[in-house]
Amino acid sequence: MRNARIIFARELKGFLVSPIAYIVISIFLIVTGWFFFSTFFLYNQAELRTFFGLLPVTFSFIVPAVTMRLFSEEFNAGSYELLKTQPVRSLDVVLGKFMAAAVLVAIMLVPTLSYGIFISFIGDLDWGPWVGGYIGALLLGAAFSAVGLFASSLTRNQIIALITGMAICFFLTLIDKMLFFLPEGAVGVFQYLGADYHFQNIARGILDSRDILYFLSVSFVMLYGTHLVLEERT
Amino acid sequence: MIRIDQLTKYYGNVCAVDGISFEMRKGEILGLLGPNGAGKTTTLRILTGYLKPTSGNIFVKEYNIHDHALEIRKLIGYLPEAAPIYPDMIVYDYLRFVADLRGLSGEAVGRRIRELAGLCGISEVMHKTIHELSKGYKQRVGLAHAMMSDPEILVLDEPTSGLDPNQIVEIRDIIREIGREKTVILSTHILSEAEATCDRIVIIHRGAIAADGTTDALKRDGGAEYAVHVSLALNDFEPVREAFSRVPGVAETRLVRAENGALDLSLTCREARDLRPEIYRVIRDHDWDLLEFGRQDRTLETIFRQLTREN
């Protein structure tokens, strides 16, 4: 765990000194801010539903942009050879990089807290969905970080990592919107696979263990997959 | 200290390393020599745990690479070719990161980094980012990285490639300095480098060992063979060739150059004793005007060429 922490610290610092992180954070804030406020005054409701409603889609392209460099850049620059030949287990490398990405996503969410504060001045904000929404956003961000990390471990090309990561995230987000194409028996399964479905449950302010378990399982499967990919790279 | 046992590595259908076996004693500086693509880097990458072998094993002390990968990595400091260090990091931060991963802590970290900065001559670039550094400095940072935990074994892959002659001399001096206490294995395709820095040389060609021994031993065996260089003030090569070919022991008379009425010849001698008196007698008997005369022993270069010539 000590090694995972060391790698986490290096990666997070690497994010914070690179311009890409700030560009991605800016884009995220502009997109969410615009979608949120462009409809906010139409509904005349003191709630963050439009913000949280779009978050899985926004995260589907923002989070893979954050994570795309984590392994691809190292493979491409060759620095992975230096990392791999240190006395560090690949599991520590995976966990360290994953935590760095998840924390960056959390940092990205901090400025959006102001939306809630802003609304609470002009109306009566329901704090339950607000808290639930942010817990859900953290879980969603972590799960998508794991997806993006996995995509990054597959290739030395960051663009391919980005597109692969986005494709998996979009699939998870949109799968429960496609249910009418599916035979009835499969509906339950695919609904359970849908990230948006679970996220919206939590964002309503209902913390169900099934929804939390979903995000933890996605993270676990993706991190384990990353670990296997790294072990197979010989 | 290190025992490599029937190491084989395939990349798909391509065989990069084909059943290499050799042993290394503690404190030895071993040079892995071979043309590009001979399997040097692959061998080193398996030793350092970056790649897994297709078959075979490597034993380091009481450990082997299949069961004790982490323990072996702790014993080894590794500098890959071209030192691919994180380009965006500051030198000091990078060395700190390595020190942390290597399990150094507290005051020891700062002390060790200062020591290595002195030894590798990087004190003045500690606060530069790595992509700003010249190749030579990058290589030194790589060396400092490899030596961070004071490992017993140092593995250096082409440590001087791409450096200018001054930098090469400096890096070699550092390697020799380290080699006094450590076991060092380095790969190179520069013969003079292997000769200058290594106690022992293993020549690999097409994934297999072509020769193994000290530089002196390599020059001595492999058949007694040397060249005698003769330069004569003559125009005609044929009669000269005929005359020399009658000397027993002279295997080949080769014309190196003919210009301005002078012939430069190289006589290949396959005989343990010195054939120069007999060759000189031939020259004297024909009353040729002798311009130059001398013996050239086998250099590492000729051995290398012989061993690694295609087919």
Side-chain angles (χ1 to χ4, degrees):
Chain A
M1 242 6 227
R2 176 190 141 93
N3 286 334
R5 214 172 54 235
I6 296 163
I7 288 167
F8 160 75
R10 197 202 77 80
E11 290 295 342
L12 190 63
K13 203 173 164 192
F15 270 133
L16 297 179
V17 297
S18 83
I20 294 176
Y22 296 101
I23 295 169
V24 169
I25 292 176
S26 307
I27 293 173
F28 171 74
L29 293 175
I30 291 167
V31 169
T32 55
W34 187 77
F35 275 117
F36 174 52
F37 284 105
S38 63
T39 56
F40 177 69
F41 295 102
L42 296 177
Y43 291 131
N44 217 9
Q45 296 260 326
E47 59 174 24
L48 281 156
R49 195 186 290 169
T50 47
F51 169 63
F52 287 125
L54 273 173
L55 201 60
V57 177
T58 335
F59 267 7
S60 292
F61 65 90
I62 289 291
V63 176
V66 168
T67 56
M68 65 180 180
R69 57 175 277 277
L70 285 170
F71 279 110
S72 303
E73 194 180 39
E74 295 227 24
F75 294 156
N76 201 30
S79 53
Y80 184 66
E81 188 170 356
L82 288 175
L83 189 60
K84 170 101 193 252
T85 51
Q86 296 294 340
V88 179
R89 289 175 307 157
S90 76
L91 199 65
D92 286 323
V93 175
V94 173
L95 283 179
K97 284 177 183 278
F98 165 68
M99 287 189 297
V103 166
L104 192 83
V105 172
I107 291 173
M108 199 157 71
L109 284 168
V110 171
T112 67
L113 293 174
S114 63
Y115 302 168
I117 295 164
F118 166 75
I119 294 169
S120 68
F121 283 132
I122 56 172
D124 209 7
L125 182 69
D126 186 354
W127 292 97
W130 186 80
V131 172
Y134 277 101
I135 291 172
L138 290 176
L139 288 167
L140 181 75
F144 280 10
S145 296
V147 170
L149 192 67
F150 173 70
S152 185
S153 75
L154 296 175
T155 169
R156 54 188 296 161
N157 183 323
Q158 294 196 38
I159 303 297
I160 295 175
L162 172 67
I163 293 168
T164 313
M166 272 167 37
I168 302 174
C169 291
F170 270 118
F171 172 80
L172 291 175
T173 303
L174 299 178
I175 183 67
D176 64 317
K177 310 286 183 292
M178 309 287 178
L179 294 177
F180 52 88
F181 290 121
L182 296 169
E184 207 147 320
V187 166
V189 178
F190 279 89
Q191 189 174 47
Y192 185 80
L193 279 178
D196 191 45
Y197 165 76
H198 293 282
F199 174 70
Q200 300 310 341
N201 282 348
I202 300 178
R204 273 198 291 271
I206 308 157
L207 282 178
D208 189 326
S209 57
R210 271 174 303 183
D211 300 321
I212 295 170
L213 197 64
Y214 166 80
F215 288 112
L216 297 183
S217 346
V218 170
S219 306
F220 175 80
V221 168
M222 287 297 162
L223 293 178
Y224 190 67
T226 312
H227 170 70
L228 291 182
V229 170
L230 293 182
E231 290 289 296
E232 281 308 304
R233 265 184 75 93
T234 52
Chain B
M1 188 80 173
I2 302 176
R3 184 157 67 84
I4 294 180
D5 186 25
Q6 287 299 319
L7 196 70
T8 302
K9 174 74 183 175
Y10 278 88
Y11 294 111
N13 286 324
V14 183
C15 183
V17 175
D18 189 7
I20 281 184
S21 302
F22 64 86
E23 278 185 50
M24 265 185 87
R25 276 179 294 107
K26 192 175 159 65
E28 212 169 18
I29 303 186
L30 183 137
L32 216 50
L33 202 61
N36 290 327
K40 299 174 303 240
T41 299
T42 305
T43 308
L44 297 184
R45 281 182 166 174
I46 296 171
L47 170 63
T48 53
Y50 182 58
L51 295 178
K52 285 187 191 126
T54 311
S55 68
N57 207 342
I58 298 180
F59 301 89
V60 180
K61 288 180 132 182
E62 68 269 34
Y63 304 118
N64 74 73
I65 48 166
H66 294 293
D67 304 325
H68 314 100
L70 279 186
E71 285 84 350
I72 290 180
R73 281 183 224 165
K74 274 182 203 158
L75 294 171
I76 293 180
Y78 175 41
L79 171 63
E81 194 179 347
I85 305 167
Y86 294 113
D88 296 333
M89 278 184 101
I90 289 166
V91 174
Y92 179 82
D93 286 353
Y94 180 69
L95 292 177
R96 243 205 119 84
F97 169 64
V98 175
D100 288 342
L101 283 183
R102 286 275 170 175
L104 274 69
S105 57
E107 273 179 44
V109 178
R111 202 174 339 115
R112 184 67 186 149
I113 291 177
R114 268 196 304 280
E115 256 172 46
L116 288 172
L119 178 63
C120 301
I122 49 171
S123 308
E124 64 269 41
V125 297
M126 280 315 239
H127 294 284
K128 284 194 174 174
T129 35
I130 284 155
H131 70 82
E132 287 179 86
L133 300 181
S134 67
K135 259 189 175 170
Y137 271 115
K138 211 171 131 190
Q139 205 73 12
R140 290 164 190 224
V141 175
L143 268 178
H145 143 100
M147 290 190 291
M148 183 55 73
S149 60
D150 202 16
E152 293 177 50
I153 301 163
L154 268 178
V155 178
L156 312 171
D157 193 2
E158 311 226 342
T160 59
S161 78
L163 304 185
D164 70 36
N166 289 331
Q167 294 169 328
I168 289 179
V169 171
E170 286 163 8
I171 294 282
R172 271 187 209 160
D173 287 344
I174 297 173
I175 293 171
R176 255 199 306 264
E177 179 73 36
I178 303 162
R180 281 192 202 146
E181 299 154 33
K182 311 258 173 243
T183 309
V184 180
I185 173 164
L186 63 90
S187 80
T188 177
H189 56 261
I190 306 164
L191 299 142
S192 56
E193 173 161 299
E195 208 166 356
T197 36
C198 303
D199 306 325
R200 187 177 141 208
I201 289 172
V202 171
I203 299 180
I204 355 185
H205 181 48
R206 294 184 171 179
I209 292 182
D212 179 354
T214 60
T215 43
D216 293 338
L218 282 180
K219 282 183 196 167
R220 235 179 301 119
D221 20 281
E225 188 180 303
Y226 59 91
V228 172
H229 170 73
V230 182
S231 186
L232 299 169
L234 274 182
N235 282 317
D236 254 0
F237 175 55
E238 265 316 303
V240 179
R241 196 178 62 87
E242 233 181 271
F244 284 138
S245 62
R246 275 200 289 272
V247 179
V250 174
E252 195 197 350
T253 306
R254 198 161 50 84
L255 182 66
V256 180
R257 197 172 42 189
E259 50 180 28
N260 303 332
L263 297 174
D264 276 350
L265 309 169
S266 172
L267 281 63
T268 311
C269 303
R270 297 233 169 86
E271 187 98 8
R273 75 199 159 84
D274 198 349
L275 290 176
R276 276 180 299 181
E278 276 140 86
I279 294 168
Y280 178 63
R281 234 168 280 138
V282 173
I283 297 168
R284 201 183 52 196
D285 292 348
H286 286 81
D287 210 12
W288 289 327
D289 290 332
L290 181 62
L291 301 175
E292 272 174 40
F293 191 58
R295 172 177 166 152
Q296 288 169 332
D297 279 314
R298 275 168 39 119
T299 59
L300 206 50
E301 195 131 358
T302 55
I303 302 165
F304 183 74
R305 284 234 197 83
Q306 268 169 22
L307 291 170
T308 61
R309 221 171 357 219
E310 295 300 309
N311 303 313

